[in-house]
Amino acid sequence: MVMPIADELLSEGMIHNELYSNISAARTDEDKMRQLFKALHSGGNKVKSAFLSMLRENDPHLVQDLVQEYNSLPGEHDRYTEPLIIQKHRQQREREEEIRSTGQNFYQVMGQRDSKAYKSTKVERLFDPDEHGDIQRTVILQGPSGTGKSFTTQKIMSDWACERLYQDRFDFVFHLRCKELNQATGNKSVMDLPNYDQSLSSMIKQVLRQSPERVLFLVDGFDELKFPLDVPKDSLPRDPWTQCSPEETLSGLIRKQILPESFLLVTTRSTALDKLNGVVKNPVRYAEIVGFSKEGVEEYFQRFFKKEQHSQQAYDTVRKNETLFTACFIPVICWIICTVYREQFEEGTEMIQSLETTTSIFVEFVATLLKHHSQDMGQSVLTILQGLGKLAEKGMEEQQVLFDHDSVSQTVIM
């Protein structure tokens, strides 16, 4: 993708003709990349920022693979702690009971969910036969935001690729992110949707023709789809090579018009479950990620911190605070809390007693991110935090939860 990006940089006036000629004249792709790097290095932050935007547009999968959180150091990736997954449709009163509970009482309620009555299960057992010996080829994994649905699909991909999961069940696993599918243009077949090594095309075609039951599709983030899937059944494709609109192709896959013998795992927020139910073909197995159990939270703290002393100190501090301890059942919030406390340990400061609410934790977390990533914004961390605070206050007054890029840019001048 060097030349397409170089073309855009030239048209935007980010590099001059001589540098562009040097890139174009380089013999190998590696030499072209070296010349492009020289251009970026001499152009400063403005050119680097433009390059990153173009790279995201031209090769989003590469960026996703390369970009890591700033605080993930070598050897720190083995933090995965499996969340509690249940296979029971819960009543409204049960959800209300969880919302009303806090602290130890909350984890006692959650402990009841991790029981035979609630049919708790593991990722590796999602496609096992039921008590009657029947196999559901479609599994819907629902749960609130932040409970680990997307991370679970990524973990499935990683473990399958490393032959730690499903190696005896599936020959191919394809990961389809609905957020990326929203950007799809033109007609696409099922095999045009996932990103995979084209050298495997002939092998994939052979498996799809001869053993479709050896293929798993992971459709992640159904609730994020911007196009409808209520497509007339007659217009749906019936094979993975027919090119149709993205909504027709994805609808055909989820409705089992395409590759009915293949396996399908769809993740969604519970708010979009009714919409999904109107698309999927029965029989379907329902599972729900509830969050971390009490034991899961303690395990995550132990995995997160390098030193056992830090792990125990942070965990003891949070356990004494009902608000923070309850919030830790949501994996993403547990990660945020651990990140904030680790920052305090690395700076050699004592545990901050004012970090007693989720708001104070979030403010400290955002301040930590800005400290590492706001060097080119032209404003102090405090000024940016104050601007974000005003934006949050406005959101509360107007009952607005999400803010678009323009709203943030108007509040925080970058």
Side-chain angles (χ1 to χ4, degrees):
M1 303 302 296
V2 177
M3 291 314 300
I5 292 176
D7 291 339
E8 287 191 50
L9 289 171
L10 180 65
S11 65
E12 294 291 333
M14 295 293 174
I15 60 175
H16 52 72
N17 288 323
E18 182 179 352
L19 284 173
Y20 178 83
S21 298
N22 291 340
I23 297 171
S24 181
R27 292 183 177 181
T28 66
D29 289 338
E30 288 79 6
D31 289 337
K32 291 180 187 296
M33 285 188 279
R34 291 189 185 98
Q35 291 297 326
L36 177 59
F37 176 77
K38 291 179 182 179
L40 297 175
H41 190 65
S42 61
N45 290 332
K46 184 177 181 181
V47 176
K48 292 176 183 176
S49 178
F51 165 75
L52 181 57
S53 298
M54 294 172 187
L55 189 62
R56 282 174 173 153
E57 181 178 352
N58 284 276
D59 202 343
H61 298 292
L62 175 64
V63 176
Q64 184 173 358
D65 290 340
L66 291 178
V67 177
Q68 297 178 347
E69 54 172 312
Y70 78 92
N71 56 1
S72 285
L73 302 176
E76 286 193 88
H77 301 286
D78 188 22
R79 297 180 192 156
Y80 180 75
T81 302
E82 188 163 351
L84 175 60
I85 301 175
I86 61 175
Q87 294 187 77
K88 181 178 183 295
H89 181 69
R90 296 187 295 157
Q91 302 298 322
Q92 182 66 24
R93 62 174 179 78
E94 296 172 305
R95 298 178 187 274
E96 292 174 354
E97 184 182 17
E98 292 171 12
I99 294 174
R100 289 194 302 266
S101 305
T102 59
Q104 292 288 350
N105 183 40
F106 172 81
Y107 282 100
Q108 287 177 3
V109 172
M110 294 299 290
Q112 296 172 7
R113 309 297 184 252
D114 188 9
S115 64
K116 291 182 179 180
Y118 282 82
K119 299 181 182 178
S120 62
T121 187
K122 304 289 185 181
V123 170
E124 60 266 24
R125 298 175 58 191
L126 287 175
F127 297 100
D128 285 358
D130 60 18
E131 60 270 20
H132 304 294
D134 297 325
I135 297 177
Q136 278 77 42
R137 297 181 182 274
T138 298
V139 174
I140 295 178
L141 186 61
Q142 62 170 312
S145 177
T147 49
K149 299 182 298 297
S150 294
F151 201 88
T152 297
T153 61
Q154 295 175 34
K155 188 68 165 56
I156 290 174
M157 284 291 297
S158 174
D159 284 354
W160 172 79
C162 296
E163 299 185 350
R164 293 193 294 258
L165 180 69
Y166 298 148
Q167 63 267 28
D168 296 329
R169 185 186 289 268
F170 301 118
D171 292 330
F172 286 102
V173 178
F174 297 103
H175 194 186
L176 305 178
R177 297 177 177 88
C178 291
K179 187 181 295 185
E180 294 178 3
L181 296 180
N182 288 330
Q183 311 302 320
T185 58
N187 290 336
K188 304 283 185 182
S189 70
V190 165
M191 297 320 302
D192 293 328
L193 296 180
N195 181 40
Y196 60 90
D197 188 340
Q198 293 300 314
S199 65
L200 299 174
S201 294
S202 59
M203 188 183 304
I204 292 173
K205 288 181 179 179
Q206 182 179 358
V207 171
L208 293 181
R209 286 194 179 102
Q210 299 178 2
S211 308
E213 73 280 359
R214 301 282 302 173
V215 177
L216 169 64
F217 289 94
L218 306 173
V219 181
D220 183 30
F222 175 85
D223 54 283
E224 297 180 280
L225 273 181
K226 293 183 178 180
F227 51 78
L229 294 183
D230 52 348
V231 182
K233 189 174 181 180
D234 294 340
S235 63
L236 296 177
R238 293 184 177 274
D239 68 68
W241 298 280
T242 299
Q243 293 190 330
C244 297
S245 66
E247 52 264 42
E248 290 173 331
T249 298
L250 187 60
S251 181
L253 180 66
I254 293 179
R255 293 187 184 192
K256 289 294 183 179
Q257 292 288 107
I258 304 174
L259 300 171
E261 283 110 15
S262 66
F263 285 79
L264 181 69
L265 173 65
V266 185
T267 72
T268 183
R269 295 183 187 180
S270 303
T271 52
L273 189 58
D274 289 341
K275 179 182 175 182
L276 180 56
N277 284 334
V279 180
V280 295
K281 180 181 179 181
N282 288 320
V284 176
R285 170 173 289 169
Y286 292 91
E288 181 175 357
I289 293 187
V290 181
F292 283 151
S293 62
K294 178 182 177 182
E295 292 75 20
V297 172
E298 186 171 9
E299 179 185 345
Y300 187 84
F301 271 74
Q302 292 171 352
R303 288 175 176 269
F304 189 93
F305 294 93
K306 291 182 178 179
K307 296 181 179 179
E308 183 178 351
Q309 176 187 356
H310 290 169
S311 168
Q312 196 61 47
Q313 186 177 352
Y315 179 74
D316 290 343
T317 302
V318 170
R319 189 172 180 178
K320 294 174 184 176
N321 186 309
E322 284 196 345
T323 301
L324 295 185
F325 193 49
T326 304
C328 276
F329 99 96
I330 301 177
V332 70
I333 297 182
C334 194
W335 169 73
I336 289 174
I337 291 173
C338 286
T339 299
V340 169
Y341 281 133
R342 184 182 61 186
E343 192 76 8
Q344 305 305 315
F345 290 135
E346 291 181 350
E347 291 180 355
T349 57
E350 293 295 324
M351 301 292 284
I352 298 179
Q353 297 301 317
S354 61
L355 298 179
E356 295 181 348
T357 65
T358 51
T359 300
S360 62
I361 288 286
F362 284 141
V363 171
E364 186 68 22
F365 177 70
V366 174
T368 298
L369 293 180
L370 291 174
K371 182 170 63 176
H372 290 273
H373 299 291
S374 66
Q375 292 88 341
D376 301 324
M377 291 186 180
Q379 292 182 322
S380 68
V381 171
L382 180 59
T383 301
I384 296 174
L385 271 177
Q386 289 172 337
L388 293 174
K390 292 178 181 178
L391 185 63
E393 183 180 19
K394 178 183 176 183
M396 292 179 64
E397 293 173 350
E398 299 177 0
Q399 295 185 337
Q400 183 179 359
V401 179
L402 300 176
F403 302 95
D404 57 25
H405 183 273
D406 292 338
S407 301
V408 178
S409 298
Q410 291 170 7
T411 305
V412 181
I413 301 175
M414 301 187 182

